[in-house]
Amino acid sequence: MAPRAYWKGTLKLSLVSCPVVLYPATTAAEKTRFHMINRETGNRLKQQMIDAETGDVVESDQKGRGYELRKGKYVEIEPEELEAVQIESNHTIDIESFVPSDEIDQRYLNHPYYIAPDGKAAVDAFAVIRDAMKDQDRVALAKIVLTNREHIIAIEPLGKGLLGTTLRFPYELRDEDQFFDDIKSPKITKDMVELAGHILQTKTSHFDPSKFKDDYETALKALVKRKASGKTIELPEPEEKPSNVVSLMDALKQSLKGRGGKKTAAKSHARRASGRTGAAKKTHRSTARQRKAG
């Protein structure tokens, strides 16, 4: 049985439209969560709003929303004033354009949703829109209103349905220059880059999320199960960090040697290096002979 739909509306491509439903593609239901409790009674704690200046508890009818103009100075915004600027949802996903998928900067990707036809009558129109996008290998861009906010949503085929991913607006992204400008440009030798390339080759694989393991979540579940059964929790000894410092070239060489069955690349690199050295020695000897003969 499918979960309850998060949103219902109409998907439109020009004059073609069909009823659709949105389901969140992600869930945090399986993550281990903790509640704050009273150690003495074991009861769960409730949070209260406290006035930052007076320390008094603020009742629900006294709570309001305020925008901080400057430190400690707020302008209060009334609920009806917020409602006046909220965008009313027409429950329509109106496709505005189609773009190549590789043009979408992954930093803009936000929340994914599954889009499915709503009812048997919607299947034909839904399939037409989905298959047209498959043939063109394009991603649709549309607008949608979710929780009183307008979002841009990127839509692409996924199996029998569609995947819709809301996109961040440009003002939500930080400029990378403020983080990268101070990165120096050191002189890296070709040998180092080649060694790093060999290490990359030994780790070449394919994207397979089934291999992703959340070790922390597994440890949390084991901790809760052990504690609930009354068993003692043994704290591990802190690990000592290695203090030895090796050069970057040594670290690259040791990394390559540490890969079992991958020593061929290191030998190949060594042969190329010795070959270059041997050629240099031959040139040097030949030059020396010419000078002596002269």
Tab-separated table of all heavy atoms in Angstrom, residues 275-285:
chain	number	residue	atom	x	y	z
A	275	GLY	N	63.797	4.226	-17.078
A	275	GLY	CA	64.056	4.402	-18.500
A	275	GLY	C	64.482	5.814	-18.817
A	275	GLY	O	65.401	6.049	-19.594
A	276	ARG	N	63.778	6.768	-18.193
A	276	ARG	CA	64.131	8.173	-18.410
A	276	ARG	C	65.523	8.451	-17.857
A	276	ARG	O	66.328	9.163	-18.448
A	276	ARG	CB	63.093	9.083	-17.748
A	276	ARG	CG	61.751	9.107	-18.467
A	276	ARG	CD	60.923	10.287	-17.984
A	276	ARG	NE	60.543	10.126	-16.591
A	276	ARG	CZ	59.390	9.567	-16.222
A	276	ARG	NH1	58.548	9.109	-17.124
A	276	ARG	NH2	59.093	9.474	-14.940
A	277	THR	N	65.834	7.825	-16.686
A	277	THR	CA	67.154	8.018	-16.076
A	277	THR	C	68.247	7.395	-16.931
A	277	THR	O	69.300	7.975	-17.165
A	277	THR	CB	67.178	7.381	-14.668
A	277	THR	OG1	66.132	7.954	-13.892
A	277	THR	CG2	68.514	7.656	-13.983
A	278	GLY	N	67.973	6.161	-17.458
A	278	GLY	CA	68.939	5.479	-18.295
A	278	GLY	C	69.227	6.251	-19.565
A	278	GLY	O	70.374	6.362	-19.999
A	279	ALA	N	68.167	6.795	-20.157
A	279	ALA	CA	68.336	7.575	-21.379
A	279	ALA	C	69.175	8.806	-21.120
A	279	ALA	O	70.022	9.192	-21.931
A	279	ALA	CB	66.965	7.968	-21.936
A	280	ALA	N	68.949	9.411	-19.945
A	280	ALA	CA	69.719	10.604	-19.592
A	280	ALA	C	71.196	10.262	-19.416
A	280	ALA	O	72.083	11.007	-19.838
A	280	ALA	CB	69.163	11.224	-18.309
A	281	LYS	N	71.467	9.073	-18.795
A	281	LYS	CA	72.861	8.644	-18.589
A	281	LYS	C	73.549	8.377	-19.917
A	281	LYS	O	74.707	8.716	-20.126
A	281	LYS	CB	72.901	7.403	-17.704
A	281	LYS	CG	72.568	7.682	-16.244
A	281	LYS	CD	72.665	6.409	-15.425
A	281	LYS	CE	72.367	6.697	-13.955
A	281	LYS	NZ	72.409	5.455	-13.141
A	282	LYS	N	72.840	7.722	-20.860
A	282	LYS	CA	73.412	7.440	-22.172
A	282	LYS	C	73.762	8.719	-22.901
A	282	LYS	O	74.800	8.847	-23.529
A	282	LYS	CB	72.424	6.611	-23.004
A	282	LYS	CG	72.302	5.164	-22.549
A	282	LYS	CD	71.322	4.421	-23.420
A	282	LYS	CE	71.167	2.959	-22.955
A	282	LYS	NZ	70.167	2.242	-23.792
A	283	THR	N	72.864	9.684	-22.828
A	283	THR	CA	73.110	10.978	-23.476
A	283	THR	C	74.331	11.643	-22.872
A	283	THR	O	75.161	12.219	-23.578
A	283	THR	CB	71.879	11.887	-23.320
A	283	THR	OG1	70.747	11.229	-23.881
A	283	THR	CG2	72.080	13.217	-24.023
A	284	HIS	N	74.439	11.552	-21.549
A	284	HIS	CA	75.571	12.163	-20.852
A	284	HIS	C	76.884	11.502	-21.280
A	284	HIS	O	77.881	12.171	-21.555
A	284	HIS	CB	75.383	12.025	-19.335
A	284	HIS	CG	76.547	12.578	-18.544
A	284	HIS	ND1	76.767	13.918	-18.419
A	284	HIS	CD2	77.535	11.941	-17.855
A	284	HIS	CE1	77.853	14.112	-17.686
A	284	HIS	NE2	78.330	12.916	-17.335
A	285	ARG	N	76.907	10.115	-21.365
A	285	ARG	CA	78.118	9.409	-21.765
A	285	ARG	C	78.512	9.726	-23.200
A	285	ARG	O	79.675	9.908	-23.546
A	285	ARG	CB	77.926	7.894	-21.585
A	285	ARG	CG	77.947	7.425	-20.139
A	285	ARG	CD	78.156	5.915	-20.059
A	285	ARG	NE	77.046	5.206	-20.685
A	285	ARG	CZ	75.981	4.781	-20.018
A	285	ARG	NH1	75.853	5.054	-18.727
A	285	ARG	NH2	75.031	4.098	-20.634
